[in-house]
Amino acid sequence: SCYHGIGHGLTDLHNKSEWGDERAMIRPALAICKKIAKNRKQLLLCGTGVFDSISLAYYNNAYGMVMKKDDPLWLCREQSDEFKESCYRDIMPAILWLGSNMLADAAPYVEKFAPDSYADIAIRSLASNSVRFTIQGNTMKPDVSSCRIMGRSLHIPCIEGLAQGVMEFGTPGVEYEGALHFCSSLAVTSQEREPCIKSVLSYSSERYSR
């Protein structure tokens, strides 16, 4: 959270001369992320804060930012490899906003504009963010049907994203209960259920103490 927050703080600028220019806003922020990060994970997290700020600016109409609806992922495509994952992960709230906060309507932006090498990361993040609009406590109506109509390469990452979303937006301290219930409610085959459970366990290992 600290490194993610640093990325936010570096990007939320008050210099109006840079407003409306994504490149100008992120360039110094990413440079500082590279200086302070001691490993790849810290660099990734700092970068997510940078691009999350851009995402927030898009749908809050802040800093004079206007999202290019005909090519909403252009900024991610032009990043160096060390920041591509950060961008494709944390620009997704704005993509969800383009789809009126509906996974089914937002997913086509990922399918059309995200390159194959990052589409799974993007759809996982998109699905996770969509849960905030469908969950109440630990009860949700996950948009599984939207995942199932996606291409084979995105179907399972989408399911994993929904599980991660329950972990992120569920009742604090017992998020895993709703997440595991969601996984157990999936199709009788293990195709969806096992990756879903593994996603919950992976998230749990970072969220909870030993």
Side-chain angles (χ1 to χ4, degrees):
S1 296
C2 183
Y3 280 92
H4 179 80
I6 290 173
H8 268 294
L10 294 171
T11 312
D12 294 338
L13 303 177
H14 300 282
N15 184 355
K16 291 186 178 182
S17 66
E18 296 179 351
W19 287 12
D21 186 340
E22 292 92 329
R23 295 186 183 96
M25 291 181 68
I26 69 171
R27 189 180 302 115
L30 294 178
I32 295 176
C33 283
K34 291 172 68 172
K35 289 182 178 180
I36 65 171
K38 296 181 180 179
N39 54 53
R40 183 183 180 279
K41 184 174 183 179
Q42 292 176 358
L43 186 65
L44 171 70
L45 292 172
C46 188
T48 61
V50 172
F51 294 107
D52 198 16
S53 283
I54 297 298
S55 183
L56 288 167
Y58 282 145
Y59 64 78
N60 286 319
N61 297 313
Y63 304 119
M65 303 290 277
V66 179
M67 196 170 195
K68 297 180 181 179
K69 295 183 179 181
D70 59 339
D71 189 9
L73 296 177
W74 67 272
L75 186 64
C76 296
R77 287 201 307 274
E78 70 175 36
Q79 298 308 307
S80 61
D81 289 344
E82 59 193 343
F83 287 116
K84 273 188 165 64
E85 180 176 348
S86 295
C87 187
Y88 282 110
R89 274 178 50 170
D90 274 63
I91 209 73
M92 286 301 113
I95 299 297
L96 189 62
W97 167 71
L98 282 183
S100 300
N101 298 324
M102 300 290 291
L103 178 58
D105 294 331
Y109 289 104
V110 172
E111 294 178 295
K112 181 176 181 180
F113 294 105
D116 291 343
S117 54
Y118 289 95
D120 59 335
I121 291 171
I123 204 68
R124 196 175 286 114
S125 176
L126 185 73
S128 178
N129 277 279
S130 75
V131 173
R132 75 167 68 221
F133 299 101
T134 61
I135 193 169
Q136 293 181 338
N138 270 355
T139 304
M140 64 175 292
K141 294 182 179 180
D143 202 356
V144 176
S145 59
S146 296
C147 294
R148 289 173 177 164
I149 63 175
M150 295 179 190
R152 180 178 299 180
S153 63
L154 297 183
H155 170 199
I156 296 304
C158 181
I159 294 291
E160 293 170 342
L162 291 177
Q164 291 175 4
V166 182
M167 290 295 293
E168 183 173 359
F169 302 111
T171 302
V174 291
E175 302 94 338
Y176 65 92
E177 293 181 357
L180 291 176
H181 176 74
F182 163 63
C183 293
S184 67
S185 71
L186 294 172
V188 293
T189 66
S190 62
Q191 180 188 10
E192 293 176 341
R193 191 169 57 248
E194 289 186 8
C196 182
I197 292 173
K198 288 180 179 179
S199 179
V200 173
L201 296 178
S202 176
Y203 201 109
S204 297
S205 69
E206 295 189 3
R207 164 138 323 179
Y208 302 125
S209 67
R210 181 172 298 184

